[in-house]
Amino acid sequence: MFQVTIRTLAPPETAAALPALAEILSDCVEGGASVGFMSPHAPGDAMPYWEGVARAVSEGHTILIVAEKDGDILGTVQLGIGMMPNQPHRADLKKLLVHRRARGLGLSRLLMTAVESEAAKHGRHVLVLDTATGSPAESIYEKLGWQRVGVIPQYALMPDGSYCGSTFFYKSLATD
Ligand SMILES: CC(C)(COP(=O)(O)OP(=O)(O)OC[C@H]1O[C@@H](n2cnc3c(N)ncnc32)[C@H](O)[C@@H]1OP(=O)(O)O)[C@@H](O)C(=O)NCCC(=O)NCCS
């Protein structure tokens, strides 16, 4: 039986997590996910991105959550909370990523539960995300109660250079 832990990283904890996060991002890109980067994408290529995320965490603009399986970081998600002054109640969900060797174990479901709970804790009750149209993630967000807004065709590129559409979703955590 494996053990899964979900943790929100405090700023001093982020540096130690960067190599594992870079490995996850690289694995997702090489697995064909449209998550901002092109193939080939080695873990070393992902480090500058994660160093930027670490800075955003230390500045209080991003909440970084990781999923550990048997002590190894194998999944992650972020919540962008550095919004304009007229959107203090909103947040952007970003980079839900699970390493291929830990997929299908429920990590993304646990990460999504944790990120929604962090959003509520920070008074963010309007959440927005986008994902590659037709990707497995698209059906997961629908299953988790996110509302599909629509598709922008040819919004981004797949890692192999072909176009992909993006499906935009929102979720309202407001109770009234
Ligand atoms: C999308 C992703 C995060 C799912 O992670 P995961 O940990 O394997 O997902 P889970 O095991 O938590 O599964 C969650 C639900 O989705 C379903 N699911 C998982 N993979 C699926 C797939 N490929 N196709 C359809 N459904 C799938 C599961 O059956 C589960 O449903 P259930 O809880 O009702 O049984 C993972 O595949 C991934 O990292 N993909 C590449 C990166 C990516 O595209 N991220 C999204 C960026 S917006």
Side-chain angles (χ1 to χ4, degrees), residues 71-158:
D72 293 329
I73 296 177
L74 289 169
T76 182
V77 69
Q78 294 167 45
L79 191 68
I81 57 171
M83 312 310 284
M84 295 302 285
N86 72 340
Q87 300 184 342
H89 55 291
R90 201 172 77 67
D92 289 324
L93 190 133
K94 299 188 261 194
K95 298 278 184 288
L96 173 68
L97 305 169
V98 174
H99 197 288
R100 281 178 289 181
R101 69 186 165 94
R103 292 206 184 147
L105 303 176
L107 265 54
S108 78
R109 200 174 253 280
L110 292 169
L111 285 163
M112 290 299 287
T113 302
V115 81
E116 288 180 24
S117 148
E118 283 287 353
K121 235 193 271 177
H122 286 77
R124 308 302 166 119
H125 58 85
V126 178
L127 310 184
V128 175
L129 68 80
D130 69 272
T131 193
T133 305
S135 66
E138 189 178 7
S139 57
I140 291 174
Y141 297 130
E142 282 183 322
K143 207 182 275 194
L144 295 177
W146 287 67
Q147 302 298 311
R148 172 192 290 263
V149 179
V151 173
I152 301 180
Q154 299 191 345
Y155 187 79
L157 298 178
M158 297 301 287

Side-chain angles (χ1 to χ4, degrees), residues 10 12 14 30 43 57 64 76 87 137 148 161:
T14 54
E30 289 308 312
V57 170
L64 176 60
T76 182
Q87 300 184 342
R148 172 192 290 263

